[in-house]
């Protein structure tokens, strides 16, 4: 019985020593990395006292919440350190530690992104293993417009994640869709069917539109039929009232035409100031407003590296790896 009691006391003392050492390690890590929130340290292995005597810890699991990473915060940083050499006297005078090997992962959660970048009411969701879907709204010319885009997530160097924002679409429901960019096959200003119908259903508006050679050329309608429609109201009504004409008009890129003929917008019920403000917004500017790139904090040891990047339902995860890490005054 005395042997059992003694063994129990040794186990309790060992666990108390572990708890004390974990608290000391948490304080030291929070201080050395400049963390806003206290990390959680879990020292593995038994007996702990034996490891103390040898000043070498077999394994430590570390969780750090809300780590600042550029303009966003990493929701979680998990790390498992192995073969840790303690610098100083355990358990009361720890100066630092040298970690021979470390593996872990970081999470940039969509919930945090939606909250931290939510001033523009933008939402980020999973669009595949390496892609993020972006949807929400932006204020433009005292109006709120819808924005849709996709971001390709990639590793930049060993310590940063970058996003390439593509296929940006700014949508004003019932009026138009604007795709910024220089590629004529992917960019431009396109009327929605409702806006095209407003032009085609009023003879005066339709005639003004068909009087522009550049529009007629893009519509792909024979010149002879256009001339006939401009002379004959019934033919004009048949032409512009057909579903085929509305589809053709909705497929015409008006981005350069509206610069020379701003009245086109007014006839479609579109505010020219709104379109003018959108045309001034360049793709790099829009991409920066939608970017969710991040970089590991400079306070983290320099030889911690990011590896595989993957987009999951909860956010962007990246693997961490490192060797020969020094913490504290080691």
């Amino acid at each position: 019985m005395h042997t059992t009691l003694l063994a129990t006391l040794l186990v309790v003392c060992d666990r108390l020593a572990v708890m004390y050492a974990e608290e000391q390690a948490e304080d030291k890590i929070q201080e050395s990395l400049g963390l806003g929130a206290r990390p959680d340290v879990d020292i593995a292995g038994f007996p702990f006292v034996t490891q103390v005597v040898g000043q070498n810890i077999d394994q430590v699991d570390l969780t750090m919440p809300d780590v600042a990473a550029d303009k966003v915060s990493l929701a979680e940083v998990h790390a498992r350190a192995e073969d840790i050499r303690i610098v100083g006297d355990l358990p009361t005078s720890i100066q630092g530690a040298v970690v021979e090997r470390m593996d872990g992962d970081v999470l940039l959660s969509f919930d945090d992104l939606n909250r931290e970048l939510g001033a523009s009411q933008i939402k980020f969701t999973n669009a595949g293993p390496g892609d993020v879907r972006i949807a929400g709204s932006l204020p433009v010319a005292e109006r709120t417009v819808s924005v849709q885009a996709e971001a390709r997530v990639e590793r930049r160097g060993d310590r940063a994640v970058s996003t390439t924002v593509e296929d940006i679409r700014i949508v004003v429901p019932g009026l138009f869709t604007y795709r910024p960019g220089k590629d004529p096959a992917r960019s431009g200003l396109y009327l929605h069917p409702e806006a095209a119908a407003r032009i085609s259903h009023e003879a005066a508006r339709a005639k003004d539109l068909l009087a522009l050679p550049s529009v007629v050329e893009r519509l792909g309608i024979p010149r002879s039929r256009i001339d006939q429609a401009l002379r004959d109201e019934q033919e004009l009504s048949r032409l512009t009232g057909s579903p085929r004409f509305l589809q053709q008009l909705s497929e015409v890129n008006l981005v350069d035409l509206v610069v020379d003929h701003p009245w086109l917008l007014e006839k479609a019920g579109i505010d020219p100031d709104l379109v003018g403000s959108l045309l001034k917004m360049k793709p790099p500017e829009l991409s920066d407003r939608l970017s969710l790139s991040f970089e590991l904090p400079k306070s983290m040891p320099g030889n911690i590296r990011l590896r595989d990047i993957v987009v999951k339902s909860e956010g962007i995860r990246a693997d961490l790896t490192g060797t020969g890490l020094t913490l504290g005054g080691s």
Side-chain angles (χ1 to χ4, degrees):
M1 180 174 179
H2 293 293
T3 303
T4 302
L5 179 59
L6 179 60
T8 302
L9 288 174
L10 289 174
V11 170
V12 170
C13 291
D14 190 84
R15 293 301 89 191
L16 289 174
V18 169
M19 292 172 59
Y20 181 82
E22 287 173 344
E23 291 180 359
Q24 292 292 302
E26 289 167 357
D27 290 339
K28 186 63 67 175
I29 292 172
Q30 183 174 13
E31 178 185 352
S32 62
L33 298 184
L35 302 176
R38 185 184 180 91
D40 180 69
V41 172
D42 182 18
I43 299 175
F46 180 83
F48 174 64
V49 174
T50 302
Q51 299 180 71
V52 170
V53 173
Q55 291 192 314
N56 198 88
I57 306 299
D58 295 333
Q59 178 182 306
V60 173
D61 291 311
L62 172 65
T63 301
M64 295 181 288
D66 298 325
V67 178
D70 202 4
K71 64 179 181 180
V72 297
S73 296
L74 300 175
E76 300 172 1
V77 177
H78 296 292
R80 170 163 290 180
E82 297 178 335
D83 194 10
I84 305 106
R85 179 169 55 85
I86 302 300
V87 178
D89 296 324
L90 280 167
T92 58
S93 301
I94 301 175
Q95 297 175 14
V98 177
V99 179
E100 291 301 321
R101 186 173 62 260
M102 187 277 294
D103 294 292
D105 64 86
V106 300
L107 169 66
L108 178 62
S109 78
F110 289 136
D111 287 343
D112 286 347
L113 280 171
N114 295 338
R115 183 180 65 252
E116 295 176 5
L117 304 181
S120 300
Q121 298 180 342
I122 300 296
K123 300 296 181 185
F124 301 89
T125 54
N126 178 22
D131 297 290
V132 174
R133 183 174 294 106
I134 303 170
S137 58
L138 288 173
V140 179
E142 300 182 353
R143 286 197 57 170
T144 299
V145 299
S146 298
V147 61
Q148 303 168 16
E150 288 196 358
R152 184 70 183 173
V153 180
E154 299 174 313
R155 180 166 55 88
R156 188 180 75 244
D158 287 335
R159 295 178 63 82
V161 170
S162 65
T163 50
T164 303
V165 181
E166 300 174 335
D167 194 22
I168 302 175
R169 287 153 289 158
I170 297 175
V171 180
V172 181
L175 294 178
F176 64 88
T177 294
Y178 172 56
R179 294 185 175 95
K182 296 181 179 180
D183 184 355
R186 298 173 59 89
S187 62
L189 178 71
Y190 298 89
L191 295 178
H192 289 180
E194 300 95 320
R198 280 192 287 273
I199 292 179
S200 62
H201 290 168
E202 293 188 24
R205 292 181 176 183
K207 284 184 176 181
D208 288 340
L209 181 70
L210 295 177
L212 295 175
S214 52
V215 173
V216 173
E217 180 182 353
R218 297 178 194 195
L219 285 171
I221 301 173
R223 182 72 248 183
S224 58
R225 189 176 183 194
I226 295 294
D227 292 339
Q228 183 181 0
L230 291 175
R231 294 191 303 267
D232 186 326
E233 294 287 340
Q234 289 185 341
E235 181 61 27
L236 177 67
S237 178
R238 279 195 294 269
L239 172 64
T240 60
S242 68
R244 174 62 178 161
F245 178 82
L246 292 179
Q247 180 183 348
Q248 290 172 305
L249 183 55
S250 299
E251 294 172 353
V252 172
N253 183 1
L254 300 177
V255 71
D256 53 344
L257 295 176
V258 297
V259 175
D260 298 326
H261 309 286
W263 54 266
L264 274 174
L265 300 174
E266 295 177 346
K267 290 182 181 297
I270 300 171
D271 180 7
D273 291 337
L274 173 60
V275 175
S277 297
L278 287 174
L279 295 180
K280 292 177 182 177
M281 297 176 70
K282 305 303 180 185
E285 177 188 348
L286 282 167
S287 296
D288 183 66
R289 296 177 71 172
L290 302 176
S291 175
L292 41 85
S293 303
F294 69 87
E295 184 174 1
L296 290 180
K298 291 181 173 59
S299 59
M300 297 186 75
N303 50 354
I304 289 182
R305 300 180 300 278
L306 289 170
R307 281 296 172 256
D308 295 334
I309 311 293
V310 63
V311 180
K312 296 192 174 183
S313 59
E314 68 271 22
I316 302 170
R317 282 198 178 274
D319 290 338
L320 286 176
T321 184
T323 56
L325 310 178
T326 59
L327 296 173
S330 56

